[in-house]
C-alpha cells in the first residue's frame, strides 16, 4: 500500500470515527435547521408546497374506510390515557423504578414543550377535510412530538440496555414504525399539515438528544 493510499485510508477512518462519536450532535444540528426553516415558512402565513403535496397523496389519493380505521388506531396510541397506561407498563416491567420515572418525566417535558411552542406560533389547524375533531393550534404537531419523544426514548433504552441483539432490533424497528405512522395519521386525518408533523419530529429529536445525554443517564444512575 502506497503512502498516499494509507493516508487516505487513515483519514477516512478518522472521519468515520468522528461522525460516529458526534452522530447525535449531527442529528440535533439537522433537526434544528429544518425546524428553523419550517418556523420561518409558517411565520409567513402561507401553505407550503410540502403541505400541498402531502394533502394530495394522503387525503385525496389514500383515503378509504379500511385505511381510516388503521390511521385512527395509530393516532389513538397518543391519547393521554393510553400514554399513561404504557408508562405504567414500563414502570411495572422494567427493572427498578428509574426507567418508569425517566419515561414519565420525558412525557411531561415533551407535552409542556409542545404547549409552549403552540402558544408562541398559534398556527390554525387545517380546515374542511378533518375526519376527527381536534381543537387548539396546529404547529408543531403534539402527537408527532410526543410520539417521537415517548417511543424515541424507548428506542434509546432498548438499544442501550437490551443485550439480545435480535430483540433490540425488533423492538427498535417496531417503536420507530409507530413514530412514523402516528405522524402520517395526523396528516391523513386532516388535523395537521405535513409541516406541523415534520416540525414536531424535529423538536422532539432536539429534546431527545438533550434528554438522553443529560437527564436519562441521571435517572438510570439511581439504580446503579
Amino acid at each position: 500500500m502506497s503512502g498516499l493510499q494509507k493516508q487516505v485510508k487513515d483519514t477516512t477512518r478518522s472521519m468515520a470515527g468522528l461522525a460516529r462519536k458526534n452522530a447525535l450532535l449531527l442529528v440535533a444540528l439537522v433537526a434544528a435547521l429544518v425546524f428553523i426553516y419550517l418556523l420561518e415558512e409558517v411565520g409567513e402565513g402561507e401553505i407550503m408546497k410540502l403541505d400541498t403535496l402531502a394533502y394530495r397523496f394522503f387525503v385525496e389519493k389514500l383515503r378509504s374506510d379500511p385505511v381510516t380505521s388503521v390511521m385512527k388506531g395509530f393516532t389513538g396510541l397518543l391519547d393521554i390515557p393510553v400514554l399513561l397506561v404504557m408508562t405504567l407498563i414500563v414502570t411495572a416491567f422494567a427493572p427498578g423504578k428509574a426507567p418508569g420515572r425517566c419515561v414519565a418525566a420525558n412525557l411531561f417535558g415533551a407535552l409542556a414543550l409542545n404547549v409552549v411552542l403552540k402558544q408562541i406560533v398559534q398556527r390554525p389547524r387545517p380546515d374542511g377535510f378533518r375526519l376527527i375533531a381536534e381543537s387548539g393550534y396546529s404547529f408543531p404537531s403534539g402527537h408527532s412530538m410526543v410520539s417521537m419523544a415517548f417511543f424515541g426514548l424507548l428506542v434509546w433504552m432498548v438499544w442501550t440496555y437490551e443485550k439480545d441483539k435480535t430483540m433490540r432490533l425488533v423492538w427498535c424497528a417496531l417503536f420507530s414504525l409507530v413514530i412514523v405512522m402516528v405522524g402520517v395519521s395526523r396528516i391523513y386525518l386532516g388535523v395537521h399539515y405535513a409541516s406541523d408533523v415534520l416540525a414536531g419530529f424535529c423538536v422532539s429529536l432536539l429534546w431527545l438528544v438533550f434528554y438522553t445525554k443529560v437527564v436519562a443517564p441521571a435517572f438510570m444512575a439511581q439504580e446503579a
Side-chain angles (χ1 to χ4, degrees), residues 8-53:
V8 171
K9 189 174 182 179
D10 290 343
T11 301
T12 302
R13 286 178 176 175
S14 298
M15 293 179 65
L18 184 64
R20 284 194 297 269
K21 291 179 181 179
N22 296 279
L24 287 179
L25 181 61
L26 292 174
V27 169
L29 178 60
V30 172
L33 292 174
V34 173
F35 178 73
I36 291 171
Y37 167 75
L38 293 172
L39 186 60
E40 290 178 346
E41 292 294 311
V42 169
E44 294 177 0
E46 297 182 0
I47 304 300
M48 298 171 61
K49 186 176 182 179
L50 169 67
D51 299 328
T52 302
L53 292 174

Side-chain angles (χ1 to χ4, degrees), residues 110-209:
L111 286 168
L113 181 58
N114 179 256
V115 170
V116 171
L117 289 173
K118 281 188 173 181
Q119 290 299 319
I120 292 173
V121 180
Q122 297 189 4
R123 185 189 197 184
R125 289 184 184 272
D127 196 16
F129 53 95
R130 300 181 199 174
L131 294 181
I132 59 175
E134 286 286 5
S135 59
Y137 295 117
S138 188
F139 184 95
S141 164
H143 277 64
S144 299
M145 269 190 68
V146 174
S147 69
M148 177 64 77
F150 185 86
F151 292 104
L153 181 62
L154 294 184
V155 167
W156 177 81
M157 286 181 166
V158 170
W159 193 261
T160 303
Y161 298 104
E162 175 58 57
K163 296 180 180 179
D164 188 306
K165 185 176 180 180
T166 300
M167 293 304 300
R168 189 168 61 194
L169 293 173
V170 168
W171 281 110
C172 287
L174 178 61
F175 291 145
S176 298
L177 175 64
V178 172
I179 292 170
V180 172
M181 290 306 300
V182 168
V184 168
S185 72
R186 304 306 284 172
I187 303 170
Y188 176 93
L189 295 170
V191 292
H192 278 294
Y193 297 105
S195 52
D196 299 332
V197 170
L198 183 56
F201 285 160
C202 288
V203 172
S204 275
L205 280 173
L206 287 167
W207 167 258
L208 278 175
V209 170

Side-chain angles (χ1 to χ4, degrees), residues 49-122:
K49 186 176 182 179
L50 169 67
D51 299 328
T52 302
L53 292 174
Y55 170 81
R56 289 174 181 171
F57 178 74
F58 290 110
V59 176
E60 292 184 350
K61 293 185 178 181
L62 197 60
R63 277 187 176 178
S64 66
D65 290 340
V67 176
T68 297
S69 298
V70 172
M71 293 299 178
K72 286 182 176 179
F74 275 109
T75 211
L77 292 174
L78 272 294
D79 291 345
I80 295 299
V82 178
L83 287 171
L84 291 177
V85 169
M86 287 191 287
T87 300
L88 290 174
I89 291 174
V90 173
T91 302
F93 290 97
K97 298 180 180 179
R101 292 172 178 172
C102 184
V103 169
N106 172 59
L107 177 58
F108 176 80
L111 286 168
L113 181 58
N114 179 256
V115 170
V116 171
L117 289 173
K118 281 188 173 181
Q119 290 299 319
I120 292 173
V121 180
Q122 297 189 4

